Amino acid sequence: MSTESRVPAPPAHQTLTFRERYLPFLISFASVAVVFGLVARLVTSAEQWPRIKLQFFNLDAIIAAFPNVFRGFLTNMTVWAIALVVIACWALVLAIFRSLSGPVFAPLKVFAILYIDLLRGIPSLLLVLLFGFGVPALQIPGLPRTGLFWGGVAMILGYSAYAAEVYRSGMEAVHDGQRAAAKALGLSQWQTLLYAIVPQAVRNVLPALLNLAVALQKDVALLSVIGVRDAVREAQIFTARTFNYSSLIAAALLFLMATIPMARFTDYVARKDQERRLQRTL
Amino acid sequence: MDRVRIANLTKYYGNTLVLDAIDLAVAADEVVCLIGASGSGKSTLLRCVNKLVPFDHGTIELDGVSIDGERFKNSNELHKRVGIVFQAFNLFPHMNVLDNITLAPRKVHRVSRRESEEHARELLSLFGMAEFAESYPEQLSGGQQQRVAIIRTLATNPDVLMLDEITAALDPELIGGVLKIIKDLAAQGMTMIIVTHEMGFAREVADRVCFLEGGRILEEAPPSELFSTPEHPRTQQFLQRIIEAGRL
Ligand SMILES: Nc1ncnc2c1ncn2[C@@H]1O[C@H](COP(=O)(O)OP(=O)(O)O)[C@@H](O)[C@H]1O
Ligand SMILES: [Mg+2]
């Protein structure tokens, strides 16, 4: 009997004709090609184009500059990766300090508020100059003296203030009932944060944190102003030697190769997050 | 001896008097139901008993020991013994059912993971939820979530269980299953303070029913008396409205 039960069959997969499936794609491809083709045509037919090409898009120069620029770029990415991890942890500590209540924790809270207000209000470039030139000049024994180290510290200090605020917004977005439930179960303030609030907060703010990570990816280039031989610095050295700007283009391309996938990944995470929220409210 | 004794409990929110000299004693094994219109102070009363909110005057004692004294200076000690279940379940959405239930036993009561999970699975099967141990809250119906929330509180072996309108957010067909659990607990001798709008349930499960209005207990009697011959005119009006709404 059960084999004959009248359950309607699931809807058959709609079969699209060739036209339905590929035509829209072909049309958009064609229109994009036409528009960009026209722009390229306009640019390259300009009177100045040969000079621009020689100065900026000189393949020989790009190839010549590439090894050094690329080595510099690895420095950028190393600083970025290390700073990212440190910022993610330190900013969370700051956000937690800031969220604490009770007189015992008042010093931590005040420290976090001052820290965030101060470091968020100072331009990153200024921080990099202050730390990158200033601290090594003090020649304090036992501390590293390289611009690379102190420049990295400056980036971490500045960005952690932003990231702390991002975390804080995520913690505040966690519903009050969660705190009440955790407390009522006997969890201490720390345990409530650790097991109930922070995991939800991190999930809430992941897209926003990734956006900060993309910004940081570019901003580590600020270290070039204190003499760190990163991609930008190496490109500048090449430019100063050859009076050709193609090395800067090489550096730009390298940055794009890192930032564009990162931005796409951020979009993807944000979309997943959006879907999850939608599902929760249904 | 009374398990919970509340005397002259008074609380303000700002300048608004929310609890007005409440006196209430709950014996061990007793089930007390609080009824009354929205805003009459029922939730606040429960929240005072386990110090989720501070109060201004009066005393609350647990087994003869003041909850404001040295013994419960650390309110976790109080929360180990007085459990509460909320209307909104408040399960932790990032943890599965098993982790929701075992979190407090493991972190607060220092029970091993293995032991606490065993206990959790026992409770889950007792309440017909065994198959959902690995599910996440958002995969469960409201009724199932509320059952998990009850189990989560029971897993800490509280001496007193407080329930704040635990079926108010549920679809009608899910209410029965949740109330059944509470009736079983009452039969097993759990001391409970229950805020509810389910008068049929209150009549069945309560040893005593208190009617609150404006932060005061206006009338207090066994359900057979309070529901059939309410003395206070306000109680009569309230019950009349409930009957008209078809809930008695
Ligand atoms: N956090 C709060 N801040 C200010 N007023 C509150 C707060 N919680 C409750 N109240 C007020 O206290 C009174 C009693 O509320 P509540 O105890 O929730 O009543 P009930 O549970 O009986 O509906 C209401 O007038 C309510 O507006
Ligand atoms: Mg209420």
Side-chain angles (χ1 to χ4, degrees), chain B residues 42-44 87 164-165 195:
Chain B
K42 307 179 297 293
S43 298
T44 307
Q87 175 179 337
D164 192 357
E165 296 197 40
V195 173

Side-chain angles (χ1 to χ4, degrees), chain A residues 94-95 98 111-121 161 164-165:
Chain A
L94 285 169
R98 201 174 167 166
F111 165 76
I113 292 172
L114 284 177
Y115 178 102
I116 292 167
D117 280 354
L118 281 179
L119 286 153
R120 229 168 25 138
E165 286 298 275

